[in-house]
Every structure is written in structure tokens, then in C-alpha cells.
Amino acid sequence: MARGRITQLSVHDVRFPTSLGGHGSDAMHTDPDYSAAYVVIETDAEDGLKGYGITFTLGKGTEVDWSRERCSASGHGSRSECCVGPVGKAGREEEQMLRHGYPAYTTSCAWLGYSDSTLKQLCAAALKDGWTRFKVKVGADLQDDIRRCRLIRDMIGPEKTLMMDANQRWDVPEAVEWMSKLAEFKPLWIEEPTSPDDILGHAAISKALASLGIGVATGEQCQNRVIFKQLLQANALQFLQIDSCRLGSVNENLSVLLMAKKFGIPVCPHAGGVGLCELVQHLIIFDYISVSTSLQNRMCEYVDHLHEHFKYPVVIKHASYLPPKDAGYSTEMKEESVKKHQYPDGEVWKKLLVAQDSCSQP
């Protein structure tokens, strides 16, 4: 491939008004607007080589990333990055991916801000589509959590897998007490039960919940391999959750995959957001083919939001990620989507901000 010099860099503040429907809501973020600092790097290469980068935020954080990325242009390349893509002569692992894909679980039907009727409707639709693994947001109100978890468990039945996610809401004793009362619903794990930086806190929670058969999952807020090393050494997690954006680079993610292999801990990546499913599909399939060679206790999060804005969206079939067929890291967004959702001057936000101003006036 012809190489060239960088000739132009542009940064876009792209925001989607997900808060209007309660999408993405959890115990720490009640009304997030899924957003991204989106970077496009152009070159003078004859083939028109471009790079695309994403940093996922919940709206306001884009303003910080926007200024930082204008200076450093960090992020994820598209055509210049490697991907799994099609394979030639397939081995056992490649054949598994091509035939069946990588197992996924859904968070889409149980956001904390959803009404019971919405939750039931989406859960029923997910079951009809063949989903067998579900995650529910918890942590804001114990009695509400008990009611919602019972509703979901009754719908999916005892044989399907249920996970819970507190999004860092609790301190250590509170996490243990809260999960002891949710144990009746047989969750496979509790995700981010406390501050993501509290290594020893996670270890204490992990030890306390072991007798209940509840594992600890964490990692989506970890920004480097050192934190993961400490979590692994302290026996602080049973499920490791890389995040393809927050962890900083493909190389940093690969380091963590190798450490997880060494410690025998399954990797179950965080995904969703803006483009996270598109990015992480490459990492999980690489992990299975070249590192872990196992699907035991492994699954990747899937959130059914915003994929229509990407040029090469992730493909889900039979509740599994299918291997991407296009070159690159699947980061490129559709130009029209970027234009319409640019904040605050895009068509979508102009209308919403005018409506908000009208409502706020006496």
C-alpha cells in the first residue's frame, strides 16, 4: 500500500441524543448522550489513505477529548490498522469463528432508565432473536433492583445467563451487602461494584462473594496494563473487561490479553457506546484465534444502538459476533451522520437546542 504524509487533521464533536430514550442509563449516569471525539487524518498518498479515530464519551467529556485530540490526534486508525478479516486456509479456531461467530451478551433491554413495559418488550424481542445472555443495570435502589431482576429472571428463565452491573456505585461493604440480597437471581457476575481504581476493594468483594457463586467483572475504566496486572495478581476479578478505546491502543490491549491468558482469566470485553462494538470485535476474535483458543466463560457485550452511523457496522447473527470482512479497524463513520450529529451546529442538535430554549423560557 502506498504511504504518504499527513496533510490534514480534523476533529468532530459528535453526539447522539440517547438520553431522550433512556438508552445507556445506569446508576452513575442517569441521562447520558452517547458521544465521541471523532478524528479524521488525511494524507497525500495516491490511494487516498485516511485514518479514523474515536474516543467514546457521554457528552461533556467530548469537550476535553476534542481539545486533546486536536493536539495529539490519538485514536484508532481505520485502513492503516490490521483486522481479523477473511482468512485463507482455516484452522479449528478460524473455522469456529466463520461458522458460528463469537458469543455475545446483550445489555440493550435492561437500562436503568427503562420502564417495566419497555424492559419486558425488549427482553421478549431479545429472547425471540435467540439471546441467551442478559445484563441488567443495578445499584441505585435495592428494592427496585430486586423487582427488576425478578422481572427479568422470570422472563428469561433459570437456565439462561444473567449478569449485573453497578457502574462503580458502591463502597466495598455496601457492594457485598447489596449483592448478598440479589444473589437469589443467580447472577454470573457483578460488574464494576466499586471504584475502578480500588484494587484491594475489588479483591475483598471477590473473596466475599465467592461462596455465593458470584464473580467480579471489571476493567472497562482501566486505562493501562499495570492496573490489570494488579487486579490479576490480587485475585480481584474472575472476568476481565478490556475497553478498546479507553485502554489506549491495540498494543496495550494485546498486552492485557496475554496477561489474562497467563492467569487463566476469561476476557469478556466492554462494548456498546459509540463504535465500541465495531472496534472490539477485532480484539475478541484475535484473542480466540491466537491467544486463548477457548470460548469457555467468554462472551462479548453487545448494545444495539448507533451501529447505523458506521460505514462498516458490526454484524450479529444468532447472538454472536461474525468476523468482519472489510479491511481496517471498522472505525469510519458515515459522513452524513457526522454532519447531522455535530455538536452544537448539526441539524439534530440545532433542533433540540431550539426546543430546549423554548421550554426554558417563561
Side-chain angles (χ1 to χ4, degrees):
M1 178 185 294
R3 298 294 178 180
R5 297 173 300 173
I6 294 175
T7 57
Q8 184 173 332
L9 180 150
S10 57
V11 185
H12 306 269
D13 183 347
V14 183
R15 306 190 192 187
F16 301 94
T18 51
S19 61
L20 297 179
H23 312 311
S25 54
D26 57 51
M28 287 290 281
H29 315 98
T30 57
D31 58 347
D33 287 322
Y34 275 10
S35 309
Y38 179 62
V39 180
V40 180
I41 295 176
E42 299 182 30
T43 74
D44 60 4
E46 293 180 1
D47 63 353
L49 179 69
K50 292 183 180 180
Y52 303 89
I54 283 181
T55 299
F56 168 55
T57 79
L58 298 182
K60 290 291 185 181
T62 310
E63 295 164 15
V64 177
D65 286 317
W66 188 86
S67 60
R68 175 178 61 83
E69 293 190 13
R70 280 180 65 88
C71 297
S72 64
S74 62
H76 302 278
S78 179
R79 290 176 55 194
S80 57
E81 293 279 4
C82 67
C83 71
V84 176
V87 296
K89 183 178 180 181
R92 180 181 66 86
E93 290 80 18
E94 290 93 335
E95 194 67 31
Q96 163 68 29
M97 291 295 98
L98 291 170
R99 287 180 177 271
H100 305 291
Y102 195 99
Y105 71 87
T106 179
T107 306
S108 300
C109 58
W111 296 114
L112 203 60
Y114 282 173
S115 65
D116 285 0
S117 60
T118 298
L119 191 154
K120 291 178 181 179
Q121 178 184 358
L122 294 176
C123 192
L127 287 167
K128 186 177 180 180
D129 288 340
W131 290 94
T132 60
R133 308 171 188 89
F134 299 79
K135 189 167 77 179
V136 56
K137 296 290 185 174
V138 299
D141 179 271
L142 178 57
Q143 294 307 313
D144 188 56
D145 286 348
I146 292 173
R147 181 184 58 78
R148 293 171 69 252
C149 288
R150 179 169 289 116
L151 189 159
I152 294 173
R153 178 53 84 185
D154 288 347
M155 287 196 70
I156 68 175
E159 75 284 357
K160 292 184 172 60
T161 304
L162 181 66
M163 289 82 70
M164 299 178 182
D165 186 356
N167 289 96
Q168 317 158 40
R169 183 63 182 262
W170 305 317
D171 58 27
V172 174
E174 188 179 20
V176 175
E177 180 181 5
W178 205 297
M179 287 308 301
S180 296
K181 295 176 180 177
L182 296 180
E184 65 174 289
F185 305 108
K186 304 298 182 184
L188 177 65
W189 75 52
I190 176 60
E191 183 173 330
E192 287 199 311
T194 193
S195 168
D197 300 321
D198 190 353
I199 309 296
L200 298 182
H202 276 87
I205 295 168
S206 176
K207 183 177 181 180
L209 296 183
S211 62
L212 298 175
I214 303 173
V216 169
T218 194
E220 71 175 82
Q221 300 287 341
C222 296
Q223 62 274 59
N224 60 62
R225 63 186 182 274
V226 177
I227 299 296
F228 278 107
K229 180 192 73 170
Q230 294 173 350
L231 286 166
L232 291 164
Q233 289 176 328
N235 296 316
L237 50 76
Q238 285 71 51
F239 302 92
L240 186 150
Q241 296 178 306
I242 58 172
D243 182 285
S244 51
C245 270
R246 186 168 283 110
L247 202 44
S249 72
V250 172
N251 287 347
E252 197 79 356
N253 274 286
L254 297 186
S255 297
V256 176
L257 295 180
L258 291 169
M259 286 192 292
K261 169 70 172 179
K262 177 180 175 65
F263 281 86
I265 297 296
V267 176
C268 301
H270 171 249
V274 180
L276 299 186
C277 296
E278 277 69 27
L279 272 63
V280 82
Q281 62 180 330
H282 300 276
L283 300 174
I284 56 173
I285 295 174
F286 173 83
D287 180 42
Y288 174 64
I289 292 174
S290 300
V291 182
S292 70
T293 67
S294 171
L295 294 178
Q296 184 176 3
N297 289 328
R298 288 169 167 82
M299 64 192 93
C300 184
E301 185 171 22
Y302 176 72
V303 176
D304 191 17
H305 305 309
L306 308 177
H307 303 290
E308 67 273 17
H309 300 292
F310 284 81
K311 190 171 181 180
Y312 308 105
V314 67
V315 177
I316 297 289
K317 188 175 182 180
H318 303 307
S320 296
Y321 280 83
L322 296 186
K325 295 183 178 180
D326 298 291
Y329 207 23
S330 309
T331 319
E332 185 177 358
M333 298 181 72
K334 295 178 180 178
E335 291 184 8
E336 184 62 22
S337 291
V338 174
K339 184 178 179 181
K340 289 179 65 175
H341 293 87
Q342 184 95 8
Y343 185 87
D345 299 322
E347 176 186 334
V348 169
W349 286 104
K350 279 185 177 180
K351 291 180 179 178
L352 286 172
L353 294 174
V354 168
Q356 290 174 8
D357 289 341
S358 298
C359 292
S360 63
Q361 292 177 2

